[in-house]
């Protein structure tokens, strides 16, 4: 900094790391003039800092000026994006639920859980494709509306599942095999019968999802 640039209003700070200042004995009773009188003359100075407060103020003003306020268009765009994300989440929720049930049905190692999630996943899948149980029992639903139409063994699975859930009798090895191997071929048979456009529209039908959870499952 040139000396010619030093003007009134500029803050100047002198820094010293000299050992002489460590030997100055300052007590609480000393006033400012007494403290200044104890400073060596000339005072050893290691660094001089010149701070142009006017430039700093101007730089701060320019920075604040360059900050653009949040416009209505940005607020609108942000709102539209948030609403779109929420809509996508709601539309994908039926399929996400099915994906969860399906995963549990295929990968549960505990027989009771595998039977339960296979049953729930099958009922949920059929519901989304427009096949509602309504007032039928699960076995009536499987016999009267599902097995003949999709060429599945849903009724056989239902009988074993209900036995494993409510009966005190242990299930046989053959019945255990029915519980374990039921879901994947059942899902394939149902999907082969329903055109892909109907499957997509079925999983986008949020009303059917609400209807499924509003009805008793057994």
């Amino acid at each position: 900094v040139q000396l010619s640039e030093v003007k009134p209003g500029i803050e100047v700070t002198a820094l010293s790391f000299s050992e002489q200042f460590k030997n100055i004995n300052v007590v609480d009773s000393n006033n400012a003039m007494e403290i200044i009188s104890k400073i060596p003359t000339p005072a050893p100075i290691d660094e001089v800092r010149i701070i142009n407060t006017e430039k700093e103020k101007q730089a701060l003003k320019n920075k604040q000026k360059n900050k653009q306020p949040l416009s209505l268009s940005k607020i609108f765009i942000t709102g539209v994006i948030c609403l779109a994300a929420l809509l996508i989440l709601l539309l994908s929720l039926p399929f996400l639920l099915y994906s969860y049930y399906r995963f549990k049905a295929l990968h549960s190692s505990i027989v009771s859980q595998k039977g339960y999630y296979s049953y729930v996943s099958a009922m949920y899948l059929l519901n989304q494709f427009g096949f509602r149980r309504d007032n039928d029992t699960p076995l009536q639903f499987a016999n009267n509306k599902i097995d003949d139409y999709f060429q599945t063994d849903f009724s056989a699975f239902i009988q074993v599942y209900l036995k494993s859930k409510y009966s005190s009798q242990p299930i046989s090895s053959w019945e255990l095999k029915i519980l374990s191997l039921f879901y994947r071929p059942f899902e394939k048979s149902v999907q082969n019968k329903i055109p892909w456009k109907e499957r997509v529209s079925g999983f986008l039908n949020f009303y059917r999802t609400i209807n499924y959870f509003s009805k008793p499952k057994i």
Side-chain angles (χ1 to χ4, degrees), residues 124-138:
Y124 182 80
L125 179 68
L126 293 168
N127 175 81
Q128 293 305 121
F129 291 164
F131 293 84
R132 300 189 306 177
R133 182 165 66 89
D134 294 327
N135 295 323
D136 290 337
T137 66

Side-chain angles (χ1 to χ4, degrees), residues 64-84:
Q64 292 176 344
K65 186 178 180 180
N66 292 332
K67 284 185 177 179
Q68 297 181 355
L70 193 61
S71 63
L72 290 177
S73 61
K74 288 184 177 180
I75 295 175
F76 176 76
I77 292 173
T78 303
V80 169
I81 292 174
C82 292
L83 288 175

Side-chain angles (χ1 to χ4, degrees), residues 98 125-126 129 131 146-154 182-195 199:
Y98 174 68
L125 179 68
L126 293 168
F129 291 164
F131 293 84
I146 304 303
D147 281 344
D148 288 341
Y149 186 81
F150 292 106
Q151 296 299 301
T152 58
D153 294 321
F154 195 26
F182 160 75
Y183 193 74
R184 200 179 293 275
F186 172 83
E187 178 191 46
K188 185 176 181 180
S189 297
V190 172
Q191 290 180 343
N192 287 340
K193 190 74 173 180
I194 306 294
R199 298 202 302 269

Side-chain angles (χ1 to χ4, degrees), residues 201-213:
S201 63
F203 278 115
L204 292 177
N205 194 324
F206 201 73
Y207 171 77
R208 289 179 180 174
T209 304
I210 296 174
N211 179 74
Y212 173 80
F213 286 102

Side-chain angles (χ1 to χ4, degrees), residues 111 160 163 170-181:
V111 175
V160 177
K163 178 182 177 180
I171 60 176
S172 65
S173 58
W174 174 250
E175 291 170 331
L176 178 61
K177 187 176 181 180
I178 292 176
L179 286 181
S180 301
L181 302 179

